[in-house]
Amino acid sequence: MTGGATDIKSLDLPGIERALAALGQPRFRVRQLVRWLYARGVAGFDEMTDLPGALRSELAERFTLGRLSLSAREVSADGTRKYLWELPDKTTVESVGIPSGDRLTVCFSTQAGCAMGCTFCATGQDGLTRSLLPGEMVDQVLGAAADMNARVSNAVAMGQGEPFANYDATLGALRFMNSPDGLEIGARHLTVSTCGLLPGIRRFSAEPEQFTLAVSLHSAVQSTRDVLMPGVARYPLDQLREALATYGVRTGRRPTLEFALVAGSNDSDSELKALIAFCRGMLCHVNLIPVNPVTGSDARRPDDARVRAFASALTSAGIECTIRTERGVDISAACGQLRQRHRA
Ligand code: SAH
Ligand code: SF4
């Protein structure tokens, strides 16, 4: 790798526009460069054959071109593939490719580690290593597409990390994924899952694209949620509900509420009642997820009958709901586990 200190993967689209303008380049070079980076995914500036040689050298002087390298991969009997990528500074992140019919969904990480400390989550256990650059997120999706030799139809920021704790980079990445010069994934097929950082939800509601929002609720009872998700205890549930209702009104979209069922914690009748009250009168879709047991956490899932009882009570109350079907159960069940296992 040659040249300057800045990784070109740190730039979002306006950043690339500024960098090329500073080099006195015409506007059409922006699209050429973005295509080399995020449609073709080249390894170096010298491969960008439709850029003039002088520009390739100038780019190589000013920028490095960071690449992900594959450090582990697991392939499930159902076709799901998990990837552990090593970043240029040797930190590692996970992503998952999930084929389904003619669709391919890639779940990517937005941070290495996470500062939010949710008790049932493998990623939350060791805190945050660092936030990822926009290009490091896009490259996870490109890497999975190349490995699976398929077009990616959906990408979800549901891997490691809290996307809204890395808001600008995440939005920058979504825009490259959405771009006709990048991965060309429709905005509605790009989903961000947040643990409920309200400033992020409010900003997201006002973005011009139709990106999809999912929020990890996990309990509509404040005291339970504070225990399960200590990192968001400062954002009260009534304000979360208001922010979600505003998202629905502003965008006309139905946010998904993720609810990981943990036996003896959030699976009681009173929890169910609170969940129904939270959802009533608001556009939303509840996704029930029997919690995946992870090392270092004693969270266990309720039995199937309890999960189905939750689902049917929600449906009877007129609340749209699904039970998440598990994929890749024979590999590392939950995000963060592959990374956890490969640590010395
Ligand atoms: N930080 C974001 C996105 C990454 S986590 C968030 O929390 O929303 C993606 C989803 O996986 C979240 O809904 C999270 O709560 C859930 N999750 C984490 N650990 C889990 C586990 N062990 N079992 C089931 N779901 C889990
Ligand atoms: Fe972070 Fe999401 Fe895990 Fe919570 S569930 S620790 S917010 S990655």
Side-chain angles (χ1 to χ4, degrees):
M1 208 180 293
T2 49
T6 309
D7 188 339
I8 199 154
K9 300 287 168 75
S10 67
L11 303 181
D12 57 8
L13 181 60
I16 286 184
E17 288 169 353
R18 279 193 299 273
L20 287 173
L23 293 171
Q25 293 296 319
R27 274 201 62 87
F28 68 87
R29 298 269 181 241
V30 172
R31 299 190 56 190
Q32 287 180 309
L33 179 56
V34 171
R35 268 183 234 144
W36 284 117
L37 292 171
Y38 299 124
R40 298 185 183 98
V42 291
F45 294 107
D46 51 342
E47 289 179 39
M48 302 181 175
T49 48
D50 62 0
L51 300 185
L55 174 58
R56 283 187 255 159
S57 319
E58 279 180 307
L59 288 170
E61 274 165 31
R62 282 171 177 73
F63 297 102
T64 57
L65 198 157
R67 303 261 297 157
L68 308 184
S69 66
L70 186 63
S71 90
R73 189 187 76 157
E74 291 181 358
V75 180
S76 162
D78 70 11
T80 300
R81 295 186 183 188
K82 271 215 166 203
Y83 303 94
L84 185 70
W85 305 104
E86 188 179 275
L87 304 169
D89 63 357
K90 307 282 178 211
T91 54
T92 54
V93 289
E94 278 183 31
S95 13
V96 190
I98 310 154
S100 170
D102 56 3
R103 290 190 321 171
L104 172 60
T105 299
V106 177
C107 172
F108 64 95
S109 297
T110 56
Q111 299 183 304
C114 183
M116 307 312 296
C118 302
T119 51
F120 49 86
C121 172
T123 306
Q125 289 178 6
D126 319 303
L128 177 67
T129 306
R130 73 167 170 90
S131 283
L132 300 191
L133 306 176
E136 291 174 332
M137 297 181 218
V138 187
D139 283 353
Q140 294 170 55
V141 182
L142 273 175
D147 182 63
M148 299 183 91
N149 196 22
R151 199 192 102 74
V152 177
S153 59
N154 299 66
V156 296
M158 287 191 189
Q160 292 166 286
E162 168 45 43
F164 288 169
N166 188 20
Y167 190 96
D168 291 328
T170 300
L171 266 284
L174 294 181
R175 291 190 169 121
F176 285 132
M177 293 177 199
N178 180 224
S179 165
D181 301 314
L183 280 147
E184 283 196 274
I185 304 171
R188 285 170 175 255
H189 297 147
L190 292 167
T191 300
V192 173
S193 172
T194 176
C195 61
L197 301 186
L198 299 185
I201 296 175
R202 292 184 186 121
R203 274 182 77 183
F204 198 71
S205 305
E207 297 294 354
E209 295 93 347
Q210 294 254 299
F211 298 135
T212 299
L213 177 67
V215 171
S216 298
L217 181 64
H218 303 323
S219 177
V221 176
Q222 192 70 54
S223 55
T224 310
R225 194 166 193 263
D226 290 352
V227 170
L228 289 173
M229 308 175 73
V232 284
R234 66 186 186 281
Y235 298 118
L237 277 165
D238 56 339
Q239 289 181 26
L240 174 61
R241 192 180 184 285
E242 204 176 294
L244 285 169
T246 305
Y247 169 86
V249 170
R250 281 215 192 152
T251 64
R253 309 289 310 286
R254 193 178 287 274
T256 296
L257 302 181
E258 288 154 291
F259 201 100
L261 281 160
V262 182
S265 165
N266 62 4
D267 67 338
S268 66
D269 288 343
S270 56
E271 287 280 338
L272 176 57
K273 211 171 134 206
L275 175 59
I276 291 171
F278 187 90
C279 296
R280 252 210 185 108
M282 181 172 74
L283 275 183
C284 66
H285 176 104
V286 176
N287 194 10
L288 296 172
I289 311 156
V291 77
N292 278 309
V294 301
T295 316
S297 156
D298 54 11
R300 295 286 169 268
R301 56 177 58 179
D303 59 30
D304 289 351
R306 188 65 192 147
V307 177
R308 283 197 302 272
F310 248 71
S312 63
L314 287 164
T315 308
S316 306
I319 297 156
E320 224 184 69
C321 126
T322 42
I323 299 173
R324 181 177 291 175
T325 46
E326 277 190 286
R327 298 294 304 268
V329 280
D330 52 338
I331 52 177
S332 306
C335 252
Q337 285 186 298
L338 185 57
R339 186 169 182 246
Q340 201 174 45
R341 266 227 316 274
H342 280 262
R343 227 173 357 229

